[in-house]
Amino acid sequence: MEQIVCIAAKVFLIMLMLLCAFSEREEFVANFSGRQLRNVPQDLPSRTIALHLSQNNISALLFSDVSYMPGLKFINISYNFIEELDLGIFALNKDLQYLDISHNSLRSFTCSSIHAVQHLKYLDFSYNKFRTMSLCKELHFLSRLKYLRLSATEIHKSDFDAISSLELETLYLGLEDLSSYERGSLQAVTTKKLHIAVPKGVASLLPLLDAFTTSQTLELSNIRCDTPCEYPTTSISQINKLSRIKTLIFSNLTMSFANVGTILQSIFNSSVEYLYIYSLTLVHKYLYFKFDFSNSVLKKLAMKHISKKVFLYHGIYPNRMYSEMVVEDFTLSDSDIVHLPCPPETNIFHVLDVSENRITDVIFQNCSSLVHLETLNLRRNKLEELAKVSSMTSSMISLSVLDISENLLYYENGRKCYWPVTLVALNMSSSGLTDSVFECLPIKIKLLNLQNNQITSIPKAVRLFTYLEELNIAFNRLTDLPDCSRFSSLVILNVEMNSIFSPSFESSHNCMNVKTIYAGNNPFVCHCDLRDFINQGNIAPDRLSGWLNSYKCQYPDGVRGTLLKDFHLSELSCNTTLLIVTILTSTVVLILCLCFLCRFFNVPWYIRMLWQWMRTKYRTKKMTTQDLERDLLFHAFVSYSEHDSDWVKNCLLPNLQKEDGSIRICQHERHFIPGKGIIENIINCIEKSYKSIFVLSPNFVQSEWCHYELYFAHHRLFHENSDSLILILLEPIPQHLIPARYHKLKALMACRSYLEWPMEKSKHGLFWTNLKEAIKVKIPTSEQAVENPLHCNQIDELELDS
Ligand SMILES: *[C@@H]1O[C@H](CO)[C@@H](O)[C@H](O)[C@H]1NC(C)=O
Ligand SMILES: *[C@@H]1O[C@H](CO)[C@@H](O)[C@H](O)[C@H]1NC(C)=O
């Protein structure tokens, strides 16, 4: 018992160790954000790679807090109360790439051990208690640094000297509380993008003037003017002078309509080509601006998440302003727009994105001014009737891409659709459409996205779409591959996540010319019908995209989850005709083989011999002792025609009597008792013999005497109910040679229970063995036999058939 417990404990320990060793290799993310911690948690797994500690009450970060986690890549300890930091504490965290220590109480930090963090990509020191930006001069060692975030209340010219040699992606300056800025300070910085949280009031002027010439991309954020404000409006409006900015981004701003108007007009007169405005809250009241685009190089204007806190709302103004924008690519998304008027003839929109609003299908009906429009995005609006949407686009004679996904669309059967012939890409995903949508499609459509609708099949009578190259019907309710013969140019077909149990032979062959098919994640039934499809996949795995891991059996239960590529069914188990043909063929071959063997090796003869031998054996066994106790003198009596005596004397007798004389044969010449009649002698001989051997040949049947002998022997056969006859067929006897009256012989021959004398020498051995076996029986010794006088039986039933 103790031993068992001991072994069990050992096994458990080993498993635990294995588990530990295994889990040790997995990376660990420690998330302790917002837990009101006062200290950094100790004893974390040493394999920790990320440490989230933001929004706690931690006042110090020490060497011992992080040194035991050598794989640490990410530390976020923002929003805490750390006052001091020595970068040397990361001496054992050689992989540290992200360090966010923003929103703490740092007044200074020690960078003498800056080499410890030389892999840093991202460093955020913003929103601490630094008064100036005089960064430690060793910062230029961080050659891999791409993102740097700082903030200060005072900026001096030398502040950025330490990072002037770094090539940053983004420099963020949190300057909301800036009080003084020395003109030209930003000039030292090299960064692709400069992001400034804009100073309040007039303090914004100088830094922004410098920012307009520092980088090509500028983001200005955190501007809040709840009432019309002079600054930073005036500061930003300076952008039209000397600016190098190509991409300007505003994020998170609250402004009056008037201020936005002023700023936009100055941007339209500047170097800015791409203007993005994210999260704008409009306050105060609407005004109408007639913008001047005569100096504009603007290519794109995108506004997203626009909301309004306006008391005096006049809906016409903003709509009118949008329609008068002179920009090719215009976005007004997620801005609660209900209606868009038809713009004047002068508009140059090529791309119009008004996604995520509340626009209905009454817009742009009979609107003939959007002649340049190539791409129209109406994703996630309130469009409903597909035929109406089509008539809306009918006069957009350049339209090639239309996105009306995520609307609640329906198509009323029989209504005519009017798409522009130029339309080649149509996105109608997630729109609740059914099979009938195929009756309302642009003729020259090349890319059609019908993902996530209610399509069960593509109607048989659908017209040919000879231009269609890419068809996406994923996430629908298809039960089979579509009929690709309707789409002669199809290159990509996506039918993932449908209800395809088993693609039909016809459809999968019709889709043979499609270059790439995505059909994974369907509930495949792994059965004979699927074999053709599986073969296609195995032959050209590149054609069925994701073949190696996203095609699995769903049914039957036994093979659920098996990848189709690993599922095999033999040709034989699936093809009934083949199965029958195979069975028939093999049977025929077997029979032919047997026939051949029989002929070649004379098998039937051997079988007959064997059969005789077995019968003899069986009978000997059955014989009772009483049978054997009969006074037998001979093993066998041989009856033969005089003409066959040569064979009997030279062949049969020597072979049977050979050896020790243990087998005795009764011959009528030798053992006949003189004074008795021939018939009596014959009967005696038969009576005293265990068996009677008859050598059959054409000569035999001619001999009258032989027939008597046979008759007697046969009589005994019935009389004593024991089969004592052995027939040896020395030569074949044609039936017609047997005289008609010898019907007994005929009957015996017909039974074919005779031994055939083989011509081939090789078979003689078996013949003799068989014959000897048949007459082998224990018989009193010859001396006794001689002493016993032969008993003579009364011949009473002797009757010859005549
Ligand atoms: C650190 O956490 C703060 C607050 O949870 C979050 O705003 C900030 O983006 C995080 N910093 C990084 C680099 O992910
Ligand atoms: C089609 O619309 C869906 C949903 O809005 C979007 O996820 C997908 O990217 C769009 N496809 C194309 C090709 O624009």
Side-chain angles (χ1 to χ4, degrees), residues 25 53 89 137 184 254 265 351 353 374 436 447 488 490 545 604 607 646 657 697 714 727 747 781 801:
R25 270 179 282 135
L53 292 167
I89 66 164
K137 56 183 183 303
T254 305
Q265 181 60 68
V351 179
D353 178 352
E374 288 161 12
S436 62
L447 275 76
S488 52
L490 205 59
S545 183
I607 291 175
D646 272 0
Q657 291 179 313
S697 70
H714 194 237
L727 304 181
T781 53
D801 298 275

Side-chain angles (χ1 to χ4, degrees), residues 598-646:
C598 288
R599 257 196 87 82
F600 200 79
F601 295 108
N602 219 341
V603 173
W605 186 85
Y606 281 105
I607 291 175
R608 277 206 302 276
M609 276 296 182
L610 210 65
W611 173 236
Q612 291 289 347
W613 181 77
M614 271 162 36
R615 267 170 47 151
T616 320
K617 273 275 175 206
Y618 175 70
R619 276 195 216 111
T620 326
K621 245 188 188 165
K622 254 181 46 177
M623 217 163 345
T624 58
T625 33
Q626 210 192 343
D627 288 334
L628 288 170
E629 269 168 12
R630 271 182 347 173
D631 44 358
L632 291 175
L633 283 181
F634 302 99
H635 285 91
F637 157 70
V638 184
S639 164
Y640 55 92
S641 152
E642 211 45 49
H643 298 276
D644 299 324
S645 64
D646 272 0

Side-chain angles (χ1 to χ4, degrees), residues 494-605:
N494 189 337
V495 288
E496 287 182 319
M497 288 285 189
N498 275 276
S499 307
I500 303 177
F501 295 118
S502 176
S504 69
F505 182 82
E506 192 193 1
S507 58
S508 59
H509 276 258
N510 278 344
C511 293
M512 220 54 187
N513 293 328
V514 181
K515 212 166 164 199
T516 310
I517 298 180
Y518 297 79
N521 298 311
N522 273 291
F524 292 111
V525 176
C526 287
H527 208 259
C528 288
D529 295 346
L530 201 64
R531 282 175 63 248
D532 189 56
F533 183 72
I534 293 177
N535 282 345
Q536 280 190 25
N538 285 332
I539 290 166
D542 297 336
R543 207 171 77 85
L544 287 172
S545 183
W547 178 248
L548 297 182
N549 47 34
S550 52
Y551 293 69
K552 291 179 188 159
C553 303
Q554 179 73 15
Y555 306 104
D557 290 345
V559 292
R560 178 168 298 163
T562 307
L563 290 169
L564 293 201
K565 76 174 165 70
D566 298 329
F567 183 76
H568 301 289
L569 269 179
S570 65
E571 179 75 32
L572 212 54
S573 58
C574 291
N575 192 334
T576 327
T577 324
L578 188 70
L579 186 69
I580 291 170
V581 166
T582 311
I583 290 175
L584 284 182
T585 315
S586 41
T587 314
V588 166
V589 167
L590 194 73
I591 289 171
L592 285 177
C593 278
L594 280 177
C595 290
F596 175 76
L597 281 177
C598 288
R599 257 196 87 82
F600 200 79
F601 295 108
N602 219 341
V603 173
W605 186 85

